[in-house]
């Protein structure tokens, strides 16, 4: 009579089979890297240039022209030297004024238009929405000359106001995104507000706007980042007045003057990028949520 296998004997005896051996930490790490290889490659692709800029910003003049990537000495004085050689505070102040005012004016003008296109039923509503989409397809360079002549007659060229005042008339891209979100809000909320005695303005302020915070934050950040990085507009209207230059315009001029001093150029670039990175870091959750809800791909 042959002896039963060891596994059969353990099963009859009621013993539990041994648990499979866990993979080693090294093997688990390799499995995680292989699973997220595409994400890691994309992260390196996007973070690599930022790391290069940050490291070059603290190098010396001589090392910045070499192929060495790691600083031999950390020259933090490069950032102080930027303020000595350029009116950087003036550029930052002009950029903040342009970005903040343009964003606020855009919200004040675009939210009511988007609300009307999403909630009101009137003749020509679809035509009006089609015109909004059509203006998104029109490049600003096409109308640059006649618009510039209009602002020149008001003696506003040489300033940033020709870029800020038009935001009071709304922004087509922001209207489109806000309208796409507002149509998803059930009408029962606004109907209940009207039953309680709210007019259209109070319904918009008390009911719709609190529910549309993610979408409003998304379009506000889009507008703010666009104005912060805008180069064409300030060059066209404020390029002749140094006191009204923005950061993008000032950095371009600084690079042409100090093109050999790449460490100072990178230091100025870091100072220009830092506020945007900080704002996005704190607002990324609501920004991503707003992008998802508005249907931006």
């Amino acid at each position: 009579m042959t002896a039963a296998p060891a596994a059969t004997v353990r099963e009859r005896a009621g013993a539990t089979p041994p648990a499979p051996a866990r993979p080693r930490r090294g093997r688990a790490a390799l499995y995680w890297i292989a699973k997220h290889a595409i994400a890691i490659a994309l992260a390196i692709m996007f973070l690599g240039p930022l790391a290069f800029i940050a490291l070059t910003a603290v190098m010396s003049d001589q090392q910045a022209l070499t192929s060495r990537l790691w600083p031999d000495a950390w020259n933090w004085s490069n950032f102080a030297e930027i303020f000595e050689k350029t009116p950087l505070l003036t550029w930052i102040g002009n950029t903040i004024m342009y970005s903040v005012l343009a964003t606020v004016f855009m919200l004040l003008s675009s939210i009511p238009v988007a609300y009307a296109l999403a909630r009101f039923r009137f003749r020509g509503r679809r035509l009006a929405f089609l015109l909004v989409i059509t203006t998104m397809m029109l490049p600003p360079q096409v109308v640059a000359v006649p618009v510039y002549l209009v602002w020149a007659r008001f003696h506003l060229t040489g300033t940033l106001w020709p870029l800020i005042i038009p935001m009071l008339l709304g922004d087509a891209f922001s209207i489109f995104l806000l309208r796409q979100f507002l149509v998803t809000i059930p009408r029962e909320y606004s109907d209940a507000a009207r039953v309680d005695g709210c007019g259209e303005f109070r319904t918009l302020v008390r009911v719709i706007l609190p529910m549309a915070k993610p979408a409003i934050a998304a379009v506000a950040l889009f507008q703010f980042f666009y104005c912060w990085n805008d180069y064409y507009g300030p060059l066209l209207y404020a390029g002749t007045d140094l006191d009204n230059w923005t950061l993008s315009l000032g950095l371009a001029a600084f690079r042409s003057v100090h093109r050999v001093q790449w460490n100072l150029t990178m230091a100025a670039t870091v100072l220009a990028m830092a506020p945007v990175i900080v704002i996005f870091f704190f607002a990324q959750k609501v920004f991503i949520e707003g992008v998802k809800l508005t249907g931006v791909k």
Side-chain angles (χ1 to χ4, degrees):
M1 184 175 179
T2 58
T8 306
V9 173
R10 284 195 300 267
E11 291 176 1
R12 291 178 179 177
T16 57
R22 294 182 178 180
R24 297 179 179 178
R25 291 185 178 180
R27 188 177 301 175
L30 291 176
Y31 173 77
W32 186 90
I33 293 174
K35 184 178 179 180
H36 302 86
I38 297 178
I40 294 173
L42 292 176
I44 294 174
M45 185 185 305
F46 285 105
L47 295 179
L50 296 178
F52 174 77
I53 293 173
L55 292 175
T56 307
V58 293
M59 290 182 181
S60 61
D61 294 342
Q62 294 77 16
Q63 186 184 357
L65 298 175
T66 63
S67 59
R68 297 193 303 272
L69 298 179
W70 193 258
D72 297 334
W74 300 81
N75 298 279
W76 299 105
S77 60
N78 292 340
F79 295 98
E81 191 174 351
I82 294 298
F83 289 92
E84 296 175 359
K85 292 188 174 182
T86 63
L88 190 63
L89 290 178
T90 302
W91 297 346
I92 293 176
N94 293 334
T95 306
I96 292 176
M97 183 194 71
Y98 171 34
S99 303
V100 172
L101 289 181
T103 302
V104 172
F105 288 173
M106 179 275 298
L107 292 177
L108 292 177
S109 58
S110 298
I111 291 176
V113 176
Y115 177 75
L117 293 175
R119 313 299 269 183
F120 292 171
R121 301 293 182 183
F122 57 91
R123 183 177 298 179
R125 180 172 63 95
R126 293 185 178 181
L127 178 60
F129 184 59
L130 181 61
L131 291 176
V132 171
I133 297 178
T134 304
T135 56
M136 295 171 54
M137 305 177 185
L138 187 65
Q141 292 81 3
V142 175
V143 295
V145 174
V147 172
Y148 183 88
L149 294 177
V150 170
W151 292 114
R153 291 184 178 181
F154 289 102
H155 305 287
L156 290 176
T157 55
T159 67
L160 295 173
W161 289 110
L163 302 173
I164 298 174
I165 295 176
M167 290 296 103
L168 288 172
L169 303 178
D171 177 68
F173 181 69
S174 302
I175 293 172
F176 172 75
L177 292 185
L178 289 171
R179 187 260 180 192
Q180 294 302 104
F181 176 80
L182 293 179
V183 294
T184 62
I185 298 178
R187 291 183 173 272
E188 286 77 8
Y189 291 103
S190 54
D191 293 340
R194 295 188 187 95
V195 170
D196 292 338
C198 293
E200 291 297 339
F201 181 75
R202 291 187 62 187
T203 301
L204 172 62
V205 174
R206 298 291 183 87
V207 179
I208 301 300
L209 291 188
M211 301 178 66
K213 283 183 179 179
I216 295 174
V219 297
L221 287 175
F222 273 128
Q223 183 65 36
F224 184 87
F225 292 158
Y226 171 80
C227 296
W228 188 275
N229 299 315
D230 188 17
Y231 175 76
Y232 174 76
L235 176 64
L236 179 63
Y237 292 106
T240 58
D241 191 351
L242 182 62
D243 294 333
N244 289 312
W245 280 11
T246 58
L247 271 174
S248 57
L249 200 58
L251 283 178
F254 181 83
R255 185 185 59 184
S256 62
V257 175
H258 301 271
R259 57 184 178 273
V260 179
Q261 295 177 298
W262 286 109
N263 57 337
L264 298 183
T265 302
M266 296 304 176
T269 304
V270 170
L271 293 175
M273 293 190 307
V276 178
I277 295 175
V278 172
I279 292 174
F280 182 78
F281 178 79
F282 286 103
Q284 61 177 332
K285 183 177 180 180
V286 65
F287 176 74
I288 294 174
E289 183 181 358
V291 169
K292 289 181 180 179
L293 294 176
T294 51
V296 179
K297 301 297 183 182

